[in-house]
Structures are given as structure tokens and as C-alpha cells.
Amino acid sequence: MHKNDKQAGKLMNKHMGHERASLHDIKFNGPATDFFEGALLGNGGMGVVVTTRPDAVMLHFGHNNVWDIRIAEEHKDEIMTFQEVFDRFAALPADLAQVTDNPWYKEYCEMAGDNYRKAYPKPMPCGSLLLRYDRRDAEVLGHTVHIADGRCTIDFLIQGKPAVLELFVEGDHDRVWITVTDAASGMAIPLFTEVKLIPDPETPPEFPQAEVVTDTVTGVQHFTQVMPRVEQPPVPYIGQANDKAFRLAVRAAGISQNNPEAQQGFLACVELWEGLSSEVQATAIAATPELDGFDAAKEVTATLWREYWNRSSVALEDEFLEHIWYRNLYFFNCSVKEGVTCPGLFANWSYRTIGADWHGDYHMNYNTQQPFWLAFSSNHLDKHLPYVDMVDHVLPVSQTWARDYYGLRGAYFPHSAYPVEMTMMPYPVPHWGWEICETPWTVQSLWWHYLYSMDAVFLRDRAFQPIKEAVLFMVDYMKRPEARGEQWGDEDYHIFPTVVPELYEITPGFAKNSDCLIDLTLTRFIFHAFIQASAVLGAEQEEAELLDEVEEILNRFPSYPTAESRNGRVFVSVEGENPEVVYNVPVPLTTVFPGEDHGLHSSEEDYQTAVNSYLNHRNEGGNELVFYHLAGARLGVLDLERFKRQIQYCLLPNGTCTDRVLMSGGRYADTENFDFMSRMGIWFENFSLPAVINECLLQSYNGHLRFFPNWPDEQHAEFHTLRAVGGFLVSAAFTDGEPEWIEIISEAGAPLSFYIPWEDGALCTLSSGEQLALLGEVGRIMTAPGEVITIVKYPH
């Protein structure tokens, strides 16, 4: 927060997030020629990267809905059932160095992974717009992204005089508007000598070639790219009914074409259409808006951004953390929107092969889930809905896989998935495809959506069935004969076999393939969610049989695996593991998050084990920037200064955080390039960094609100309308080591429970004016929908 704010008292209100965001523009000096230096813009569907060269401005277009939709689904008849593969594994010698030494298994993995080795499906870049200017007349000085209203301004000197190019992505249409004005007078002036659309250079050569043409009537320049469904399109190509396509078009005025007498100012609109090829190609080019729509589009877009920012806000004495909070929420809004395809690994910014690694797809062992952790506490529940749509999309193939591959009820959710039509698992290789944790993990946030909203309609219509399908699978999987019985030496139901995420694969004799920590904690989570959801919906009688099975397993549930480390007793990913192992995903912390079994509420013993696990953890980097530090915040032990330094280590010139390696000794060699992931694309997952900050300010995961659990006593902080479990919107300020005031809006009328942050107790004032004095550790208040409760330290 800025220095003069500390003494300003209640310096914000719930309508001032927009003004606060305006303090965090992203600036870049000089030409930004590289994709990762350019300005990031977007409306949740279309994404635009604006780069500046000494001779031109270039806009690179992408869209969450636009994919190379081809898919390879070969070898269906060669994929063995789970039981067949399991029996083969069980028959292998337990003293093999690794299972892949077995010729049969090596060959089987090659076959099972063959489809995934194809380059498609993948996000499809939507081409570029080049705006060329004469270097003898103009010089680019730098650019600024104004995150408060989604604009980018590029500063120029034109004939030695300051000028500004302004552009923005329209909030409710896939359009970019561009204008150039004199900085002093605001008058429109010319700049560009050429406007040129360029299809993406890495468009698959087997696709029908897109031709850039200019409409002779409207002057609109455009090209249309067809994306065939068939893997190898014939030449000449005959369109199919389910082909997709996109069209990029630009209407421009004021191109000087090297004519010094030209006085007309530059103004342009670029529009992207996407969808079924038949529909896109039927779109009239004249539909590109007339250029007099600039002001109206700018006003609508500014209003949408203002509404977005006023959903929640923070004011922090730590200016760097406040930067991170606002800037990543800006990127989040640019890259995800209700009604648009759920973003993959690299969201809606792509160019050439940037954004295509790992197909840019959905990875369900944290990558896909992580960005949406931000949606709940930051009060942007609508941003979670594309994820819910994604779950609906993968549910049928997950049910089919559970039935045909496992012979079990319910749904087994995939390790990798695409936003295209699928009839089989994209990556059925056992050493990744057997990560059992991904099934409860995929549906976990559907329960969170209910908890943070208390929306029973959402629970009934969108969440309950996928959760139930995951529970059905887990119940059947844990009740298999191989997962319990005398061979285990106990009466527990085990999760066997399974695979620790990103670590051991299948080990000889299944030595490290049972009761993985993350499987256990997420299965426990989703079992309890199903029990509670059934009660909320009054479905206990209808679901009685399944509920009985769940309770039976919970009563005979395996213990979490632990080991003794240099830091004391710690959780480990699997029984018998060396606690010095270098992880890729912070599995030993998953009982804290996302499992939510341990935290500041835990018993002293469990809490200390969790803290030891956090302090002992060794991570090779790339998958921990949010994940690891969020667990630290939940435990109240996050070192904010170290957290900031790691963010700084990962920052790119465009303001986003990439995934960077932290250490060798795990999967990475001593000679590894620690920066190898930086040029893969814009990592959508890291936009959830503000969720870590939110957990430092407010926690509610166990149903009790806890204020400023990981905030330095000497620093002021304030937040407005962060969302908490129970459907509460919470605002509070922190000064001199304790909360100064708290305000809570009860959206759903749920009972309010909170940890009292003052030894003297709390004075609560209800909407009616009634005042309550609360003492002790926890305060409880019954609320009504819409009620506002103010809480201050009890005066003495």
C-alpha cells in the first residue's frame, strides 16, 4: 500500500477496488519485441499479445474456443483392461530395477502413449496483425497496460512530438479497437503506413491454406482458417459438417501510405469470429463494426472492468504483494469467462508453437484446478463456471472408462483431457493414468463452490452428480479384493494400486503404489463432501446404500504415511519413502491443502507434523509457486519475504510468473536449463497467486473465519468483500498487530462462526442495531440473508 495510506483509517470501501487497481499499471520501456515482453489483453475468450518493434506494432491473437480439434484415438482394441494390466504387473519379479525394464511393459507404454505423441489437439493461434510505421518519422518509447480498465497505451514520438496509440479488447465482443492521438491535443493523427493480417506461420501445412483478401466493397481485410476434424485432410479439402473455423478481420482508416500530406487520424477495429466452419464462413464481412463505435465500446468495456474490480479489493502496506494481487486478478479476468471454453495450460495467448506444449491441455493433477482456487476467496464465483463446464465435458468419457477399463461404477477422471470430442482416455499409460487422486481432485472445487456460495440449486444441478460419480468409483476401487484383506495385515480399505504424482510411476512389487497421501486426503475430503451434500439436498434416503458404504470405508480408513526427518516427524507421499526425496508436486503438504484436513485448527501433534512437513519439503520447482506457499499460509508459517523473492525469480517482463526450476537432484540433472519452461507459454495456473495472499488475510476452510492469520504485526492491511465459506462477504482492517474493524455480509443467512481475534472479546452489532458481546476463542451468531454484522474489539 502506498505510504500515505497507512494513517488514512478506513481508506477503502467495497466500491473502490477499481481505483485501487489503477495504481498497478504494468509498464515496459522501449520496444517490446518478444512475445513474453508484450502487453497481455483479453476478455476471457479472446486473448491478445501486443508487441512493439522499432518498425511496427504486432498483435498476436488467440481464443480459448479455438483449437486444432483433430484427435488421435488409435489402439482402442489393444488397450488392455485394468485387471489385465494389474495381473501382468503382479506377475513381474519384484526385484526388477524398474518396471519399464520389462520388454512387454515398455512396448505396452509405447503403444498406449502413441496418441498423445501427436501434436494435436492443441490451441490454435488465430493469426497476427502487423501495423507498420516509418522509422524515419516515428519511434516507439514503451507501453503501459492499464489494468483498471483493460487498456494498453503505447507511447511514440512522431516527428519529434509525443503521441499515444491506445487499444483495448472489447469486454463483451471479440474485438480490438485501436486509435492514435497527439499526446498534447488529443487530436487523432496518422502513424501507420501499412496494415497487414498474417495467418500464424505454424499453421499445420495439411490444413486448407488461409488466404488474406480485402473486400472491395467494405475495405475490410480478412482471412478464414478452417480447422478440419479429420486427422489428415485430403487435398483438395472437402469440408465436413463438424469442422471448426475462425475468421480474423480488420477495418482501418487513416493509413498514410507514405503520403506526408495525409491528415486523417488512424482508427481500426479487429474482430475474431469462431465456431463451426459453416457458420463462420456464412458471416458477412460487413459485420465488422463501423469505426464510429470506438467510444461506445470503450465505455462498455470500462464499465465491465469496474464491475469486476469492485467484487473485492485489498490495500496492503506491502506494495509488491499488492501489485501481485491486482495484476494476477487482471490476467485472470483476461483469460477466463463464463460461457467460454475452460482454459488449458497456457490460456488464450498463443503464437507459433508457444502455448502448444503438452497439447496446452487439461492436466488433472493440479494444473487445471489451481487457477480456480482464486475464484472463491476473491469473490469471482462466475469465473469457476468454465471449470464446471469442463467437468461436465469429461464426465461421459470418465464414466465409460470406469465401466469398460476398470469394470467399476461411477467415473474415473482422466490424467489429461482436451476440450474436444473424446471417446477414450487421451493418455492411458498406467504410470500416469493410474494417479487415483485425480478423480476426487477433479470434482473437489464443485463442493467448494457450494460452500462459498451456499447455493443449493448449484449443488443439486451442477455439483452433486459429478461428486457422486467420483465417490462411486472410489468406493468400488477401495472395496476390490486386492485393496483389502489378510494380505494387508489390517481391516482397512486401501487405495491400491495408485501412483504418486510426478514421482515413482509403477514400482516393482508395487512398493510405492498404495495409499498415497494425496489419494487418501482427497478421497476423505470428497467422501465427507458427499455425506454433507446428501444432507443438504435431503437425499439421505435415496443415497442410503452408497452413504453406508462411504461410512464403512471411513471407519476403516488407512493412516497418513509419515517418516522421521531432520525436522522431526513429517508426512510423506507414500509409506516407506525417504523424507529427503526431491518432489515435483508438494504432495507431503496436501493434507493441509487441498485436503483441508490439517491447519491452524488442528491438534498440536498434527499441526506440528504439518509444519515440519512444510519446512522439510524439497521441491525441484515448476509446480510449487502457488501450491507450496498456500499451504504455508494455511499453517500461518509463510515467510512473506521469501515468498516475494520466489515470485521475483519467476517474473517475466509482461508481469506474469513462469514456472522455473529450483533444484536438481529430482527429475532434473545438474546441467538442466532452469529456465526451460519460460518460453512454453503464459502459465494460466500461476494467476492464482492472489489466493495465497487472501489466505494470509482471511481463512474459512473449516467453517470458522480466522482474520489475518499470516500477516506481519508491523504492517497495515485492509481487504473488502473477500468471500468465505458460508456465503459470507468479509471486509476488515489490520493495524498495530490486531484487527481494527471487521464487517461481514451474510448472503445466505448461514450461521456465522469466527475465531475472536482479541483477548478482551468482540462487540458485534447486527443490522437490527442489537449488540452482542462475545468472549472466548470462538464467536457464533445466527444471521439472516443480507444481514450486515460489524465487529470490533470489546471496549473496556
Side-chain angles (χ1 to χ4, degrees), residues 441-749:
W441 209 346
T442 297
V443 299
Q444 178 187 42
S445 64
L446 277 61
W447 177 240
W448 278 338
H449 194 115
Y450 168 71
L451 289 180
Y452 280 82
S453 68
M454 305 303 288
D455 184 347
V457 174
F458 172 87
L459 178 62
R460 183 190 66 232
D461 295 347
R462 303 300 309 274
F464 187 74
Q465 193 60 38
I467 289 173
K468 178 182 175 180
E469 295 295 315
V471 169
L472 280 166
F473 178 84
M474 292 308 305
V475 163
D476 282 6
Y477 195 73
M478 295 180 75
K479 293 182 75 173
R480 292 167 32 254
E482 297 88 349
R484 66 185 303 253
E486 293 182 1
Q487 70 271 29
W488 291 93
D490 57 39
E491 296 184 353
D492 292 344
Y493 292 89
H494 296 273
I495 299 179
F496 170 76
T498 186
V499 174
V500 178
E502 309 287 331
L503 202 53
Y504 300 117
E505 302 182 1
I506 304 295
T507 55
F510 298 117
K512 290 186 172 63
N513 297 112
S514 62
D515 296 334
C516 172
L517 183 75
I518 191 170
D519 299 324
L520 294 174
T521 190
L522 287 173
T523 299
R524 187 194 297 272
F525 179 101
I526 211 64
F527 279 179
H528 285 296
F530 178 69
I531 293 169
Q532 294 173 65
S534 298
V536 170
L537 298 177
E540 292 108 325
Q541 184 173 351
E542 181 182 349
E543 304 296 343
E545 183 178 344
L546 182 55
L547 287 167
D548 286 345
E549 292 180 286
V550 168
E551 292 285 3
E552 179 185 359
I553 294 174
L554 286 173
N555 289 333
R556 294 178 173 84
F557 207 76
S559 300
Y560 292 144
T562 60
E564 289 299 321
S565 76
R566 53 180 275 179
N567 287 87
R569 183 171 176 264
V570 296
F571 295 114
V572 290
S573 69
V574 67
E575 193 67 41
E577 180 176 78
N578 183 343
E580 290 296 298
V581 69
V582 177
Y583 292 91
N584 180 266
V585 177
V587 176
L589 309 177
T590 53
T591 66
V592 178
F593 189 87
E596 300 193 326
D597 211 8
H598 297 139
L600 286 166
H601 72 288
S602 296
S603 68
E604 183 176 347
E605 180 181 358
D606 286 343
Y607 175 76
Q608 193 58 56
T609 303
V611 170
N612 293 347
S613 304
Y614 177 78
L615 297 175
N616 192 66
H617 183 67
R618 306 174 77 204
N619 196 289
E620 64 191 9
N623 296 325
E624 86 310 321
L625 184 62
V626 174
F627 202 155
Y628 174 73
H629 296 101
L630 201 155
R634 280 282 175 92
L635 292 167
V637 296
L638 174 61
D639 182 337
L640 287 173
E641 295 303 315
R642 188 169 187 177
F643 175 49
K644 288 157 56 179
R645 289 191 293 270
Q646 190 162 337
I647 292 173
Q648 195 72 55
Y649 171 65
C650 296
L651 275 176
L652 293 175
N654 59 18
T656 69
C657 282
T658 188
D659 284 350
R660 297 190 74 187
V661 175
L662 292 175
M663 65 180 295
S664 61
R667 299 185 306 175
Y668 301 137
D670 289 338
T671 54
E672 184 66 72
N673 171 17
F674 273 37
D675 208 28
F676 80 94
M677 288 179 278
S678 291
R679 300 202 62 81
M680 290 181 174
I682 310 299
W683 290 92
F684 178 53
E685 65 200 44
N686 288 330
F687 297 164
S688 58
L689 276 166
V692 179
I693 300 170
N694 291 348
E695 293 295 328
C696 294
L697 303 172
L698 174 71
Q699 294 181 13
S700 63
Y701 64 92
N702 68 335
H704 307 297
L705 277 60
R706 190 187 296 270
F707 306 102
F708 304 100
N710 200 124
W711 196 253
D713 285 348
E714 68 279 6
Q715 288 190 22
H716 183 86
E718 186 172 336
F719 62 84
H720 284 263
T721 55
L722 294 185
R723 183 172 285 275
V725 166
F728 298 108
L729 298 179
V730 186
S731 306
F734 184 83
T735 304
D736 297 329
E738 64 181 19
E740 182 182 355
W741 53 265
I742 299 164
E743 180 182 270
I744 300 173
I745 302 171
S746 175
E747 284 192 330

Side-chain angles (χ1 to χ4, degrees), residues 226-396:
V226 175
M227 295 170 291
R229 176 79 62 176
V230 296
E231 285 192 70
Q232 296 299 322
V235 180
Y237 184 67
I238 301 174
Q240 306 293 312
N242 53 1
D243 288 346
K244 295 291 185 72
F246 68 86
R247 174 178 287 164
L248 190 66
V250 57
R251 185 193 298 269
I255 306 168
S256 66
Q257 298 177 340
N258 297 315
N259 179 6
E261 302 300 319
Q263 297 298 317
Q264 188 176 15
F266 181 81
L267 184 61
C269 179
V270 192
E271 184 154 14
L272 178 70
W273 294 270
E274 47 76 23
L276 288 173
S277 179
S278 57
E279 295 174 357
V280 170
Q281 299 202 61
T283 302
I285 297 303
T288 304
E290 296 295 336
L291 298 179
D292 59 6
F294 180 95
D295 290 338
K298 183 177 179 179
E299 182 178 350
V300 168
T301 301
T303 298
L304 292 172
W305 275 102
R306 182 180 294 274
E307 291 172 351
Y308 175 78
W309 288 120
N310 288 338
R311 296 289 296 171
S312 61
S313 55
V314 300
L316 309 176
E317 187 169 347
D318 191 312
E319 190 169 355
F320 181 79
L321 288 179
E322 189 173 311
H323 276 323
I324 294 303
W325 197 91
Y326 282 100
R327 289 176 179 177
N328 281 279
L329 274 163
Y330 165 78
F331 298 134
F332 190 54
N333 196 33
C334 288
S335 56
V336 61
K337 179 168 65 175
E338 182 180 358
V340 175
T341 300
C342 180
L345 289 170
F346 305 108
N348 50 355
W349 296 289
S350 57
Y351 176 57
R352 293 184 177 267
T353 59
I354 295 173
D357 284 277
W358 296 294
H359 297 265
D361 66 9
Y362 305 131
H363 275 48
M364 303 312 299
N365 60 352
Y366 105 87
N367 304 85
T368 309
Q369 294 94 328
Q370 180 170 291
F372 299 96
W373 299 344
L374 177 60
F376 303 106
S377 59
S378 291
N379 194 23
H380 294 287
L381 288 177
D382 59 300
K383 296 291 184 182
H384 180 238
L385 295 176
Y387 180 92
V388 181
D389 294 337
M390 184 277 299
V391 174
D392 288 342
H393 169 71
V394 301
L395 181 58

Side-chain angles (χ1 to χ4, degrees), residues 179-255:
T179 187
V180 181
T181 57
D182 177 80
S185 67
M187 296 291 294
I189 57 174
L191 171 61
F192 299 112
T193 61
E194 182 183 11
V195 174
K196 181 181 181 181
L197 286 180
I198 305 173
D200 192 82
E202 302 293 335
T203 299
E206 61 269 30
F207 276 15
Q209 185 174 356
E211 180 182 358
V212 179
V213 298
T214 300
D215 187 270
T216 56
V217 176
T218 64
V220 173
Q221 189 180 153
H222 62 93
F223 73 88
T224 301
Q225 178 63 62
V226 175
M227 295 170 291
R229 176 79 62 176
V230 296
E231 285 192 70
Q232 296 299 322
V235 180
Y237 184 67
I238 301 174
Q240 306 293 312
N242 53 1
D243 288 346
K244 295 291 185 72
F246 68 86
R247 174 178 287 164
L248 190 66
V250 57
R251 185 193 298 269
I255 306 168

